[in-house]
Amino acid sequence: MRIDVITLFPELVEQVISCGIVGRAAEQRLLELCCWNPRDYTRDRHRTVDDRPYGGGPGMLMKVQPLQDAIGAVREQNPDARLVYLSPQGELLKQQKLARQVELGSVIFLCGRYEGIDERLIQKEVDEEWSIGDYVISGGELAAMVCIDAMTRLLPGALGHEDSAQQDSFSAGLLDYPHYTRPESYLGDSVPEVLLNGNHREIEAWREQQALGRTWQRRPDLLQQIRLDSRQQALLDAYISEAERTRKR
Ligand SMILES: C[S@@+](CC[C@H](N)C(=O)[O-])C[C@H]1O[C@@H](n2cnc3c(N)ncnc32)[C@H](O)[C@@H]1O
């Protein structure tokens, strides 16, 4: 999958392929990352990429022309990719949205800086706006890196175990179940018995129940968005009864 990023700080974005799962995916050529700096497309000797906002007010804005020309250069190599502007005003990102983009393939991320980007550029060039959360960061680079990392996890072959991404939180609309590793007992706290008995059916049922129960406790809004079958409902009911029983004690 090819990802282009238009950014004033390519050296920051390139860090995302320097290690870990994303780094390995880039080495395996599952992911190709190309950064484009609008400063390289300026036409004045100061290489100006920002200017004061019309109407006054604090801060600076990214100028249209360098961005427009950078987009033109990307499009010459990657004409059909969707252009996504990372913005706190965009659609709040969800796992499904990223999975859909991975299915669609190549994408161009546009990173803002300062107070943002001249609105005319957004109206003319941007296909979608994505937000990584209801807070404001100083530039789109970290948001682009979050997207690149999350999308890479969904690329076939990027994770050690093929099914790891399917078991992550949000993939099936639920939070992930709790995990344990050795030692079996640590400072008096033991691993749940069921995980030690080797009965894979019981382990699977326990994990599913934990995922349902955690989602009920921490993100009940997610449960509103999925339909549980009768078996899952029974698992959740049992989890809730147990949680209420231990709370009363
Ligand atoms: C300081 S912000 C500008 C915020 C803008 N004045 C506003 O309030 O909507 C600079 C850049 O950071 C990026 N950014 C900030 N918060 C973001 C978020 N929650 N999600 C994605 N990108 C964000 C955008 O690219 C934005 O153009």
Side-chain angles (χ1 to χ4, degrees), residues 46-168:
H46 299 295
R47 306 178 79 208
T48 311
V49 289
D50 60 327
D51 209 337
R52 293 190 305 275
Y54 277 115
M60 302 292 271
L61 278 181
M62 291 182 82
K63 286 160 67 72
V64 177
Q65 175 271 314
L67 287 174
Q68 180 87 68
D69 288 359
I71 292 168
V74 182
R75 289 251 178 253
E76 272 179 27
Q77 289 189 14
N78 197 0
D80 300 322
R82 293 185 75 68
L83 180 64
V84 174
Y85 173 40
L86 281 322
S87 162
Q89 301 178 27
E91 181 183 342
L92 213 48
L93 260 186
K94 299 269 163 66
Q95 184 82 359
Q96 283 74 12
K97 179 98 195 155
L98 293 162
R100 177 88 187 106
Q101 184 57 55
V102 170
E103 275 171 30
L104 289 173
S106 195
V107 61
I108 305 166
F109 288 128
L110 174 58
C111 303
R113 278 272 154 180
Y114 316 114
E115 284 309 312
I117 291 178
D118 188 306
E119 187 66 21
R120 290 167 293 184
L121 189 281
I122 299 173
Q123 295 297 327
K124 192 161 172 215
E125 296 288 350
V126 169
D127 295 309
E128 290 184 42
E129 295 185 41
W130 293 359
S131 165
I132 59 164
D134 287 345
Y135 45 83
V136 176
I137 53 179
S138 306
E141 288 76 14
L142 290 177
M145 291 162 84
V146 166
C147 297
I148 293 166
D149 187 305
M151 286 166 67
T152 301
R153 295 179 63 76
L154 300 171
L155 290 175
L159 297 182
H161 290 283
E162 255 337 281
D163 55 353
S164 305
Q166 271 93 58
Q167 290 179 2
D168 276 343

Side-chain angles (χ1 to χ4, degrees), residues 192-204:
E193 192 68 35
V194 64
L195 298 178
L196 306 172
N197 70 14
N199 183 328
H200 293 290
R201 264 197 161 160
E202 278 183 26
I203 292 172
E204 213 175 291

